[in-house]
């Protein structure tokens, strides 16, 4: 898709020489900056102006998007400026990347489906084949695929099992649990075919095949498990009027093993896209989306919020020496060390006198303190790759380690029983603060 011969040359002349920006016409906004309407001063043609803070990531986004912008289903990039630019109300100009792009006035795909009075499976086929023009517009996380995709960037509804596995291994490597891996876990563009299967599913019924059962939690443990196992269904109420070919194409895209998933070529040859006998019966998709407007908006907002988190740059954190730090969290952590003597009295290994026994005892106490800290203190800042990590999984890991190190602690056993611990995991949700206090 990308044309390597297309080299992007950033303009350094004033944007106002070529375009007039309508700051009152909002086309979009986010962590990357506003998207506003602009007009060519010579021709009067309207475009979209995307404003990014100048950074290596922003320049990469502009270059990759420009390379692909000749494709009929990708929003074209007309001009790109790398200049100091001042927004209305700002005191001084700021270095920015300003992308002048083709203006798309049709809205987002699911917004379009939602507003239709009549939406049929035949129209879903046309959207999938892009007979109705649908274009990619955001290249904030795009990368030229050479079979070495590593960074687990995703939004929960559309994420494939391979990207979740990349996230798991990425976190484990950062914590030092996979030191034997000499190279990162990689995935490829077959993950995009999984995501397309999710899009087709939603178009046909109005809700996603995988969703969180925990309110306001984008990616629950149960949702993660179902994605990894490829577990979903076709409820009769919405799916009884949908063709077997449609269900087959979804099943062929939502396969856990990437090698068994349809490729782009195989997808275009599938009967659902080519047979011509797809039912023209109205689907329930628009009415389902409209009837649960709040859930639809919440899902769209969650999607936008996740994209916003993913755009946040990595931050370098400089820490003061512990001896000079006097913030409340550190003071609270220091106070927790005072619990050691109490915990030691409840652990028979504390009577050990040899150096080896002292080491084991220290580890036992440390494991208990780690659980208390996790339950009682705010989580530390994480990078974008770990934004969707599960606190339940981390607590489960810490507790397993603590049980190994404190096999005789009666207080620990009592606390675990009250939280429905089955020996490997918690049967239900955990009241973290109460659990932490019971440890203490």
């Amino acid at each position: 898709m990308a044309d390597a011969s297309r080299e992007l040359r950033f303009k350094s002349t004033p944007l106002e020489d070529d375009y007039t920006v309508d700051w009152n016409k909002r086309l979009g906004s986010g962590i990357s900056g506003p998207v506003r309407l602009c007009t060519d001063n010579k021709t009067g043609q309207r475009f979209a102006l995307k404003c990014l803070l100048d950074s290596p990531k922003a320049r990469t986004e502009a270059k990759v998007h420009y390379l692909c912008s000749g494709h009929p289903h990708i929003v074209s990039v007309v001009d790109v400026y790398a200049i100091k630019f001042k927004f209305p109300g700002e005191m001084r100009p700021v270095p920015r990347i300003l992308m002048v792009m083709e203006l798309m006035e049709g809205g987002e795909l699911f917004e379009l489906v939602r507003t239709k009075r009549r939406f049929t499976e035949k129209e879903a086929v046309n959207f999938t084949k892009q007979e109705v023009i649908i274009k990619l517009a955001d290249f904030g996380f795009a990368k030229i695929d050479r079979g070495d995709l590593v960074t687990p960037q995703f939004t929960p509804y559309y994420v494939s099992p391979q990207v979740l596995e990349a996230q798991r291994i990425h976190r484990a490597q950062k914590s030092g649990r996979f030191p034997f891996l000499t190279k990162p876990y990689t995935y490829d563009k077959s993950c995009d075919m999984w995501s397309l299967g999710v899009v087709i599913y939603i178009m046909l019924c109005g809700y996603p095949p995988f969703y969180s059962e925990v309110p306001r939690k984008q990616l629950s443990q149960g949702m993660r498990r179902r994605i990894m196992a490829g577990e979903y269904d076709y409820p009769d109420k919405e799916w009884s009027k949908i063709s077997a070919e449609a269900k087959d194409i979804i099943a062929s895209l939502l396969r856990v093993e990437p090698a068994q998933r349809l490729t782009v070529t195989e997808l275009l040859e599938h009967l659902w896209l080519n047979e011509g006998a797809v039912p023209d019966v109205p689907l329930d998709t628009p009415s389902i989306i409209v009837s649960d407007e709040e859930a639809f908006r919440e899902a769209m907002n969650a999607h936008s919020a996740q994209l916003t988190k993913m755009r946040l740059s990595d931050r370098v954190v400089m820490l003061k020496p512990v001896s000079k730090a006097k913030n409340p969290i550190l003071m609270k952590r220091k106070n927790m060390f005072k619990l050691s003597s109490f915990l030691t009295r409840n652990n028979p290994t504390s009577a050990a006198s040899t150096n080896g026994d002292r080491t084991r005892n220290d580890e036992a106490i440390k494991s208990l303190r780690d659980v208390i800290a996790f339950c009682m203190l705010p989580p530390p800042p994480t990078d974008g790759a770990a934004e969707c990590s599960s606190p339940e999984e981390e607590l489960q890991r810490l507790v397993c380690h603590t049980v190994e190190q404190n096999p005789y602690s009666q207080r620990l056993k009592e606390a675990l029983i009250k939280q429905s611990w089955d020996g490997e995991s918690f049967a239900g949700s955990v009241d973290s603060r109460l659990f932490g206090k019971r440890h203490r």
Side-chain angles (χ1 to χ4, degrees):
M1 182 182 293
D3 180 1
S5 65
R6 288 170 56 88
E7 182 181 354
L8 174 61
R9 294 182 179 176
F10 294 94
K11 289 189 173 183
S12 59
T13 56
L15 175 76
E16 296 87 348
D17 289 354
D18 305 313
Y19 300 94
T20 299
V21 183
D22 184 352
W23 294 105
N24 295 318
K25 185 65 174 178
R26 179 181 181 274
L27 302 179
S29 187
I31 193 68
S32 59
V35 180
R36 295 293 185 267
L37 182 69
C38 69
T39 305
D40 189 304
N41 292 338
K42 293 181 180 178
T43 66
Q45 186 175 354
R46 302 196 308 169
F47 297 96
L49 177 68
K50 184 174 186 178
C51 308
L52 307 169
L53 288 174
D54 196 346
S55 69
K57 286 184 179 180
R59 289 181 177 245
T60 298
E61 173 178 348
K63 288 176 181 178
V64 174
H65 193 162
Y66 184 76
L67 283 175
C68 300
S69 67
H71 193 278
H73 294 297
I74 290 178
V75 170
S76 297
V77 176
V78 179
D79 281 320
V80 182
Y81 295 77
I83 57 176
K84 286 189 176 182
F85 189 79
K86 185 175 71 171
F87 288 163
E90 287 186 333
M91 296 296 293
R92 60 182 63 85
V94 175
R96 286 188 165 99
I97 301 298
L98 305 176
M99 299 176 63
V100 179
M101 305 186 302
E102 174 187 3
L103 178 63
M104 300 294 292
E105 300 185 86
E108 295 186 349
L109 173 61
F110 293 133
E111 283 282 359
L112 177 62
V113 173
R114 184 181 72 90
T115 57
K116 279 183 168 288
R117 288 182 174 272
R118 187 177 189 274
F119 183 69
T120 68
E121 187 175 329
K122 183 170 290 187
E123 287 182 278
V125 168
N126 292 338
F127 282 164
T128 303
K129 293 170 69 173
Q130 298 202 352
E131 290 178 5
V132 175
I133 300 299
I134 300 172
K135 296 196 177 189
L136 299 177
D138 194 333
F139 281 67
F141 313 104
K143 178 183 177 182
I144 297 175
D145 180 16
R146 298 185 176 91
D148 59 348
L149 301 177
V150 175
T151 309
Q153 302 277 28
F154 61 88
T155 51
Y157 284 131
Y158 308 101
V159 64
S160 71
Q162 288 67 46
V163 178
L164 286 181
E165 181 66 6
Q167 183 198 54
R168 185 185 73 82
I169 293 177
H170 182 79
R171 296 204 317 261
Q173 285 180 312
K174 289 187 69 175
S175 66
R177 283 185 285 145
F178 281 177
F180 53 86
L181 291 179
T182 57
K183 62 180 182 179
Y185 176 90
T186 61
Y187 55 94
D188 58 28
K189 55 181 173 285
S190 65
C191 296
D192 294 332
M193 303 308 291
W194 172 284
S195 300
L196 179 58
V198 173
V199 170
I200 295 173
Y201 186 103
I202 297 174
M203 274 201 297
L204 293 174
C205 69
Y207 48 81
F210 308 100
Y211 53 87
S212 173
E213 72 284 0
V214 181
R216 301 193 181 282
K217 185 177 180 62
Q218 293 184 43
L219 184 64
S220 64
Q221 278 187 294
M223 179 178 174
R224 184 186 295 267
R225 179 190 60 76
R226 289 191 297 276
I227 292 173
M228 295 298 291
E231 293 179 3
Y232 62 95
D233 56 13
Y234 303 110
D236 286 339
K237 183 179 179 182
E238 294 81 31
W239 288 87
S240 59
K241 63 183 73 174
I242 296 172
S243 69
E245 288 79 12
K247 296 173 185 176
D248 180 73
I249 203 169
I250 291 170
S252 299
L253 290 167
L254 298 183
R255 286 180 175 162
V256 174
E257 289 298 326
Q260 297 176 7
R261 230 170 272 159
L262 288 182
T263 64
V264 172
T265 301
E266 291 168 340
L267 172 73
L268 293 175
E269 294 172 352
H270 194 278
L271 286 177
W272 189 64
L273 296 179
N274 295 285
E275 193 173 46
V278 175
D280 200 30
V281 178
L283 301 178
D284 297 330
T285 308
S287 60
I288 289 175
I289 295 176
V290 171
S291 66
D292 201 350
E293 181 78 12
E294 183 179 350
F296 175 75
R297 291 297 170 201
E298 187 172 319
M300 296 298 288
N301 290 338
H303 178 80
S304 297
Q306 183 62 24
L307 289 176
T308 295
K309 289 180 181 178
M310 288 160 59
R311 280 190 182 275
L312 290 172
S313 301
D314 297 333
R315 287 182 260 176
V316 178
V317 179
M318 301 298 292
L319 298 178
K320 293 181 180 179
V322 176
S323 59
K324 295 182 179 179
K326 293 183 180 179
N327 65 66
I329 294 177
L330 276 178
M331 296 301 292
K332 190 171 184 178
R333 182 177 286 274
K334 289 177 181 178
N335 291 335
M336 288 172 57
F337 281 93
K338 297 178 181 178
L339 298 172
S340 298
S341 59
F342 178 80
L343 294 172
T344 303
R345 288 197 297 272
N346 286 276
N347 191 330
T349 62
S350 63
S353 57
T354 66
N355 290 336
D357 287 340
R358 286 196 191 97
T359 300
R360 285 192 295 273
N361 185 47
D362 289 343
E363 181 59 30
I365 294 171
K366 179 181 179 301
S367 67
L368 285 161
R369 285 201 302 263
D370 287 344
V371 173
I372 296 171
F374 183 87
C375 292
M376 303 299 292
L377 300 178
T382 58
D383 61 15
E387 286 294 335
C388 288
S389 63
S390 168
E392 292 90 348
E393 288 180 345
E394 180 62 15
L395 179 59
Q396 178 179 315
R397 184 188 69 79
L398 291 171
V399 169
C400 285
H401 179 64
T402 303
V403 170
E404 290 178 2
Q405 297 296 324
N406 298 270
Y408 306 107
S409 174
Q410 189 61 33
R411 181 178 289 271
L412 175 61
K413 290 181 180 178
E414 291 172 358
L416 291 173
I417 289 172
K418 290 179 180 179
Q419 294 290 341
S420 303
W421 176 259
D422 64 7
E424 294 183 354
S425 61
F426 295 99
S429 60
V430 179
D431 186 335
S432 297
R433 295 192 67 82
L434 185 59
F435 187 44
K437 288 178 180 178
R438 282 188 178 135
H439 273 73
R440 295 171 68 181

